[in-house]
Amino acid sequence: LIDRGPSPYLCHIDLYLEGRHVTSVQGDGLIVSTPTGSTAYAVAAGASMVHPNVPAIMVTPICPHSLSFRPIVVPAGVEIKVMVSPESRGSAWVSLDGRNMREIKVG
């Protein structure tokens, strides 16, 4: 989970798959999960249900500012890179399995 943490500003996150820039997400955050991890949260944010035996990763925006980026499913093993955009007004926070919340800054 990547979110805006205590910041009042929207997250501005750049998403890369296999080293290619896919999109910039402005919103409350981004959920990156497996079919069995964060399922309820991802579905509440608009993702599809994915069978647990499907080797995939779901990438779901949380309350996106734009409707141009919808939840996507990518094959497991795809390199996913998430960066706070240089255009961001604040940092973002990353949490793995609800633990160890860490701030990530621009770049």
Side-chain angles (χ1 to χ4, degrees):
L1 171 71
I2 298 128
D3 67 15
R4 59 192 178 104
S7 173
Y9 303 113
L10 295 175
C11 283
H12 194 159
I13 300 168
D14 291 331
L15 175 66
Y16 297 83
L17 297 176
E18 296 293 336
R20 293 182 135 162
H21 183 259
V22 175
T23 191
S24 292
V25 181
Q26 279 189 296
D28 285 344
L30 194 64
I31 302 168
V32 179
S33 64
T34 64
T36 58
S38 301
T39 304
Y41 194 14
V43 169
S48 296
M49 298 286 288
V50 177
H51 192 279
N53 291 341
V54 174
I57 301 291
M58 299 182 300
V59 181
T60 309
I62 304 168
C63 299
H65 188 285
S66 167
L67 295 178
S68 64
F69 177 49
R70 307 306 306 155
I72 59 173
V73 177
V74 298
V78 166
E79 180 186 334
I80 298 172
K81 182 172 156 183
V82 177
M83 297 177 62
V84 177
S85 172
E87 299 169 11
S88 181
R89 294 175 73 184
S91 61
W93 292 77
V94 62
S95 173
L96 307 174
D97 291 329
R99 299 184 182 108
N100 303 325
M101 203 165 191
R102 303 269 191 232
E103 184 176 17
I104 53 177
K105 298 187 184 228
V106 175

